[in-house]
Amino acid sequence: MRALIVGRFQPFHNGHLEVIRKILENHESVIIGIGSAQYSHTLRDPFTAGERHLMISMTLEAEDLPNFYLVPIEDVNSNPLWVAHVEALTPKFEAVYTNNPLVRRLFLEKKYNVKSVKLLNRDDWSGTSIREKMLAGGNWEKDVPRQVTEVIREIDGVQRLRDLAEDDH
Ligand code: NAD
């Protein structure tokens, strides 16, 4: 059956890819919720839902992992209602994979089977650290799949982040 993972994927990185690979060892398909879908063009959430969709789909197709469903999910203004909101947008799923404490708590309270995933190479494989490297001119490309680098280049994503970091005063 299907499993769910929800993330902001700002950007999609090698840690996310390894988790999805592991999920697909145990489930026939994975639903990938693109969280905070309404946000983009901020330092914390620089990429649009469409750009994140492209990063993930291009990567998983290249990795020969075709059993995925991508669903953009906007945030809602009430945590207790969020699980029902996710359910309304996605196919049915039997398990949820997350390390995010709030996501874990909300799905546990709705009696889902919630599994944690081992955090891999967290020093480098974290959205925050990758965005910091982009701003500082560091080598972020090694922390993301090649297809993600291609999408970020195509949309001039590093310059977008630098423009967002500029003070307008
Ligand atoms: P994320 O992109 O940081 O992470 C996605 C998943 O990948 C997480 O489970 C994380 O633990 C895992 N991961 C990240 N790096 C990893 C690594 N190196 N190795 C292994 N696993 C790794 O996204 P997130 O912040 O967890 O996303 C949660 C989303 O759910 C957000 O968009 C949030 O807004 C949304 N949400 C919304 C509401 C609401 O609208 N009320 C409530 C709860 C959550």
Side-chain angles (χ1 to χ4, degrees), residues 24-41:
L24 286 172
E25 285 171 10
N26 297 306
H27 300 270
E28 65 191 38
S29 59
V30 59
I31 302 162
I32 304 168
I34 302 176
S36 305
Q38 76 273 40
Y39 293 121
S40 70
H41 295 79

Side-chain angles (χ1 to χ4, degrees), residues 8-13 16 43-44 46-47 122-134 144 161:
R8 288 188 301 113
F9 307 119
Q10 290 284 9
F12 187 75
H13 57 62
H16 296 132
L43 283 174
R44 184 169 183 267
F47 305 117
R122 193 61 183 159
D123 285 347
D124 289 323
W125 295 352
S126 100
T128 304
S129 134
I130 291 167
R131 295 192 304 276
E132 282 170 3
K133 283 182 197 169
M134 287 175 170
V144 303
L161 204 55

Side-chain angles (χ1 to χ4, degrees), residues 63-109:
E63 294 289 327
D64 201 18
L65 298 170
N67 298 338
F68 64 91
Y69 304 89
L70 276 166
V71 184
I73 301 173
E74 294 191 0
D75 290 343
V76 293
N77 211 2
S78 162
N79 284 331
L81 294 180
W82 184 67
V83 171
H85 172 65
V86 174
E87 288 171 331
L89 294 170
T90 58
K92 280 200 184 309
F93 48 90
E94 63 172 358
V96 180
Y97 285 75
T98 186
N99 287 314
N100 179 313
L102 175 61
V103 172
R104 154 178 301 280
R105 186 70 229 159
L106 294 176
F107 278 104
L108 278 177
E109 289 184 8

